[in-house]
Amino acid sequence: MAADPFHLAWFTPFKTPAWKSPWAADTPLTWLNGEYYMDMARSLERAGFDFMMFEDSTLVSDTYGGSTENDLKHGLHSPKGDPVPLLPMLAQVTQHMGFIATMSTSFYPPFLVARVMATMDHLTRGRVGWNVVTSSEDLAGQNYGLDHLLPHDERYEMADEFITVVKELWDSWEPGAIVADRETGYLADHTKVHPIHHDGKYFKVRGPLNLPAGPQGHPVICQAGGSPKGRDFASRHANVLLSAPKGVDQMREYRDDIRARAVGHGRDADDVKVMFIVQPVLGETQADAEEIARRRNELTQDQIETILGIMSITTEVDFKQFDLDAPLPDDVTTNGHQSGLEQFRKRTKGKTIREALMGQQTEAVELVGTPASVAAQMDEVMEAVGGDGFLIRGEPVRTHSRRYIDEIASGLAPELRRRGLIRSDYPESTFKANLAAF
């Protein structure tokens, strides 16, 4: 039985794409001009994608081995561009799909986020979203005058107040406040623009915002909540969640939990779309795809340095210190990404770190095959999980290339559309409305 239609999106940083790939061409040296991502947006809209979501971080990490060498050698978290200014560029070369950028509640003032996102919503005619992160790296905090980030759970408490302030600022202009009445001489009606006078535990903001909210009112809110505190925050505020629980059973459990929490917060469960991160491996035949997957998953020294380097950055634990041929020590803790460390701890149970890395699965489910067979697999997974869609992520060091994008846009997406599984048009005028359509 076919699943209901689901949403399809792409998860990416604004960073060097697939520079080790033989298909990279000149992108390792030119990607910062935005052309690669503009081409990508055109292809994905043609394919029927709902949105592109840009993660972000603002550090050059020396957590792995006490040096920035590994981060810069492999281009893990740097160089990376700010995705926010990219949004209107992408909107100019597309007509319908949405674009989400990341801004951290630990570093940005609420007024700045509210103003930037309202401006972007106007510039894109209602096609932007904000990925809300609390950040997990003290190194990033030290770029903003902080010696250490707040404890994990308190960061979410601060984020809850932060997003409340941002929404109040978006609402500080009533609809119709701009009257542009030449006869009375009023551009804006001052009786419809209101200070918010927020005075809380973490923020004090007078308001009002100095421009009205954009076409969406509140832009789409995106979040990734893995820990219990993160799940509760996401279910309270987000329109879209990105997640990678491993396997259909965990995917279903995660989605059911988020939906139940959303109802507990007085929301309609269908207003929260849970998107699962995948990295489809496509070939002209099943054997081709399996060989590509085998090569991609080879545990080379580059792969070890890349995987452990990324884990070191997100958890703020130096994984270079550990013996790869021994289990992960039991006393390892983090104030960073707690769910990421916990997932790795589960994978290393009864195994050495090297053995766990050999079986590491970064996506929610493995999808390997021809475009037709992978589309069928995605259909089956969504039917089992219940919804709401997939976030495709090209492996950033080797496969995030124009070639891989076209494999998805010209190979997989048409097969999904033929089965009625993804959208064939964008009937609504805004990103949020199209997202809520099914």
mmCIF file of all heavy atoms in Angstrom, residues 256-274:
data_model
loop_
_atom_site.group_PDB
_atom_site.id
_atom_site.type_symbol
_atom_site.label_atom_id
_atom_site.label_comp_id
_atom_site.label_asym_id
_atom_site.label_seq_id
_atom_site.Cartn_x
_atom_site.Cartn_y
_atom_site.Cartn_z
ATOM 1 N N ASP A 256 6.208 9.700 16.996
ATOM 2 C CA ASP A 256 5.060 9.592 17.904
ATOM 3 C C ASP A 256 5.280 10.419 19.162
ATOM 4 O O ASP A 256 4.346 11.057 19.676
ATOM 5 C CB ASP A 256 4.819 8.124 18.279
ATOM 6 C CG ASP A 256 4.272 7.291 17.124
ATOM 7 O OD1 ASP A 256 3.864 7.880 16.100
ATOM 8 O OD2 ASP A 256 4.269 6.045 17.254
ATOM 9 N N ASP A 257 6.498 10.404 19.677
ATOM 10 C CA ASP A 257 6.806 11.165 20.889
ATOM 11 C C ASP A 257 6.677 12.665 20.638
ATOM 12 O O ASP A 257 6.077 13.389 21.443
ATOM 13 C CB ASP A 257 8.217 10.825 21.369
ATOM 14 C CG ASP A 257 8.597 11.579 22.623
ATOM 15 O OD1 ASP A 257 7.867 11.484 23.627
ATOM 16 O OD2 ASP A 257 9.626 12.287 22.611
ATOM 17 N N ILE A 258 7.228 13.136 19.506
ATOM 18 C CA ILE A 258 7.140 14.561 19.189
ATOM 19 C C ILE A 258 5.688 14.987 19.026
ATOM 20 O O ILE A 258 5.262 16.040 19.544
ATOM 21 C CB ILE A 258 7.950 14.879 17.909
ATOM 22 C CG1 ILE A 258 9.451 14.717 18.162
ATOM 23 C CG2 ILE A 258 7.621 16.281 17.396
ATOM 24 C CD1 ILE A 258 10.042 15.693 19.148
ATOM 25 N N ARG A 259 4.907 14.188 18.321
ATOM 26 C CA ARG A 259 3.498 14.533 18.098
ATOM 27 C C ARG A 259 2.722 14.547 19.417
ATOM 28 O O ARG A 259 1.881 15.428 19.647
ATOM 29 C CB ARG A 259 2.881 13.558 17.101
ATOM 30 C CG ARG A 259 3.389 13.760 15.678
ATOM 31 C CD ARG A 259 2.976 12.629 14.747
ATOM 32 N NE ARG A 259 1.537 12.513 14.584
ATOM 33 C CZ ARG A 259 0.818 13.217 13.729
ATOM 34 N NH1 ARG A 259 1.404 14.124 12.953
ATOM 35 N NH2 ARG A 259 -0.481 13.040 13.638
ATOM 36 N N ALA A 260 2.996 13.587 20.294
ATOM 37 C CA ALA A 260 2.311 13.559 21.588
ATOM 38 C C ALA A 260 2.699 14.775 22.429
ATOM 39 O O ALA A 260 1.840 15.388 23.096
ATOM 40 C CB ALA A 260 2.654 12.265 22.331
ATOM 41 N N ARG A 261 3.978 15.135 22.408
ATOM 42 C CA ARG A 261 4.414 16.319 23.144
ATOM 43 C C ARG A 261 3.756 17.583 22.583
ATOM 44 O O ARG A 261 3.384 18.492 23.330
ATOM 45 C CB ARG A 261 5.933 16.448 23.089
ATOM 46 C CG ARG A 261 6.702 15.421 23.901
ATOM 47 C CD ARG A 261 8.199 15.515 23.627
ATOM 48 N NE ARG A 261 8.978 14.471 24.264
ATOM 49 C CZ ARG A 261 9.647 14.615 25.404
ATOM 50 N NH1 ARG A 261 9.614 15.778 26.045
ATOM 51 N NH2 ARG A 261 10.358 13.620 25.897
ATOM 52 N N ALA A 262 3.636 17.662 21.251
ATOM 53 C CA ALA A 262 3.000 18.830 20.627
ATOM 54 C C ALA A 262 1.552 18.970 21.094
ATOM 55 O O ALA A 262 1.091 20.076 21.426
ATOM 56 C CB ALA A 262 3.066 18.719 19.106
ATOM 57 N N VAL A 263 0.836 17.865 21.131
ATOM 58 C CA VAL A 263 -0.547 17.890 21.623
ATOM 59 C C VAL A 263 -0.579 18.340 23.075
ATOM 60 O O VAL A 263 -1.446 19.120 23.494
ATOM 61 C CB VAL A 263 -1.197 16.501 21.454
ATOM 62 C CG1 VAL A 263 -2.553 16.450 22.167
ATOM 63 C CG2 VAL A 263 -1.363 16.171 19.972
ATOM 64 N N GLY A 264 0.390 17.875 23.850
ATOM 65 C CA GLY A 264 0.483 18.295 25.245
ATOM 66 C C GLY A 264 0.698 19.783 25.414
ATOM 67 O O GLY A 264 0.336 20.361 26.444
ATOM 68 N N HIS A 265 1.295 20.415 24.388
ATOM 69 C CA HIS A 265 1.489 21.863 24.409
ATOM 70 C C HIS A 265 0.328 22.612 23.766
ATOM 71 O O HIS A 265 0.425 23.821 23.515
ATOM 72 C CB HIS A 265 2.788 22.226 23.687
ATOM 73 C CG HIS A 265 4.030 21.770 24.390
ATOM 74 N ND1 HIS A 265 4.292 22.058 25.710
ATOM 75 C CD2 HIS A 265 5.094 21.027 23.963
ATOM 76 C CE1 HIS A 265 5.451 21.527 26.067
ATOM 77 N NE2 HIS A 265 5.958 20.891 25.029
ATOM 78 N N GLY A 266 -0.763 21.908 23.471
ATOM 79 C CA GLY A 266 -1.942 22.542 22.910
ATOM 80 C C GLY A 266 -1.883 22.756 21.409
ATOM 81 O O GLY A 266 -2.659 23.546 20.866
ATOM 82 N N ARG A 267 -0.991 22.038 20.733
ATOM 83 C CA ARG A 267 -0.851 22.182 19.291
ATOM 84 C C ARG A 267 -1.512 21.020 18.566
ATOM 85 O O ARG A 267 -1.719 19.945 19.130
ATOM 86 C CB ARG A 267 0.625 22.255 18.896
ATOM 87 C CG ARG A 267 1.411 23.363 19.565
ATOM 88 C CD ARG A 267 2.853 23.372 19.084
ATOM 89 N NE ARG A 267 2.954 23.728 17.678
ATOM 90 C CZ ARG A 267 4.042 23.589 16.946
ATOM 91 N NH1 ARG A 267 5.128 23.062 17.489
ATOM 92 N NH2 ARG A 267 4.064 23.947 15.684
ATOM 93 N N ASP A 268 -1.801 21.221 17.291
ATOM 94 C CA ASP A 268 -2.238 20.143 16.417
ATOM 95 C C ASP A 268 -0.995 19.354 16.013
ATOM 96 O O ASP A 268 -0.026 19.930 15.507
ATOM 97 C CB ASP A 268 -2.929 20.729 15.179
ATOM 98 C CG ASP A 268 -3.522 19.660 14.261
ATOM 99 O OD1 ASP A 268 -3.010 18.523 14.242
ATOM 100 O OD2 ASP A 268 -4.490 19.964 13.540
ATOM 101 N N ALA A 269 -0.995 18.057 16.217
ATOM 102 C CA ALA A 269 0.180 17.244 15.909
ATOM 103 C C ALA A 269 0.588 17.371 14.445
ATOM 104 O O ALA A 269 1.782 17.294 14.122
ATOM 105 C CB ALA A 269 -0.088 15.775 16.243
ATOM 106 N N ASP A 270 -0.368 17.582 13.550
ATOM 107 C CA ASP A 270 -0.047 17.691 12.121
ATOM 108 C C ASP A 270 0.650 18.994 11.761
ATOM 109 O O ASP A 270 1.134 19.147 10.636
ATOM 110 C CB ASP A 270 -1.327 17.552 11.273
ATOM 111 C CG ASP A 270 -1.867 16.128 11.280
ATOM 112 O OD1 ASP A 270 -1.069 15.205 11.516
ATOM 113 O OD2 ASP A 270 -3.080 15.950 11.045
ATOM 114 N N ASP A 271 0.713 19.929 12.709
ATOM 115 C CA ASP A 271 1.432 21.185 12.461
ATOM 116 C C ASP A 271 2.933 21.028 12.631
ATOM 117 O O ASP A 271 3.688 21.966 12.380
ATOM 118 C CB ASP A 271 0.928 22.284 13.403
ATOM 119 C CG ASP A 271 -0.484 22.740 13.052
ATOM 120 O OD1 ASP A 271 -0.926 22.476 11.916
ATOM 121 O OD2 ASP A 271 -1.140 23.337 13.927
ATOM 122 N N VAL A 272 3.379 19.848 13.083
ATOM 123 C CA VAL A 272 4.800 19.591 13.296
ATOM 124 C C VAL A 272 5.236 18.504 12.322
ATOM 125 O O VAL A 272 4.785 17.363 12.413
ATOM 126 C CB VAL A 272 5.084 19.129 14.740
ATOM 127 C CG1 VAL A 272 6.581 19.002 14.981
ATOM 128 C CG2 VAL A 272 4.465 20.094 15.752
ATOM 129 N N LYS A 273 6.094 18.848 11.381
ATOM 130 C CA LYS A 273 6.559 17.898 10.380
ATOM 131 C C LYS A 273 7.922 17.350 10.799
ATOM 132 O O LYS A 273 8.886 18.113 10.939
ATOM 133 C CB LYS A 273 6.691 18.562 9.004
ATOM 134 C CG LYS A 273 5.431 19.299 8.544
ATOM 135 C CD LYS A 273 4.228 18.388 8.436
ATOM 136 C CE LYS A 273 3.014 19.139 7.917
ATOM 137 N NZ LYS A 273 1.786 18.310 7.946
ATOM 138 N N VAL A 274 7.999 16.039 10.990
ATOM 139 C CA VAL A 274 9.243 15.386 11.399
ATOM 140 C C VAL A 274 9.927 14.850 10.146
ATOM 141 O O VAL A 274 9.413 13.961 9.474
ATOM 142 C CB VAL A 274 8.978 14.245 12.393
ATOM 143 C CG1 VAL A 274 10.286 13.558 12.779
ATOM 144 C CG2 VAL A 274 8.272 14.792 13.643
#
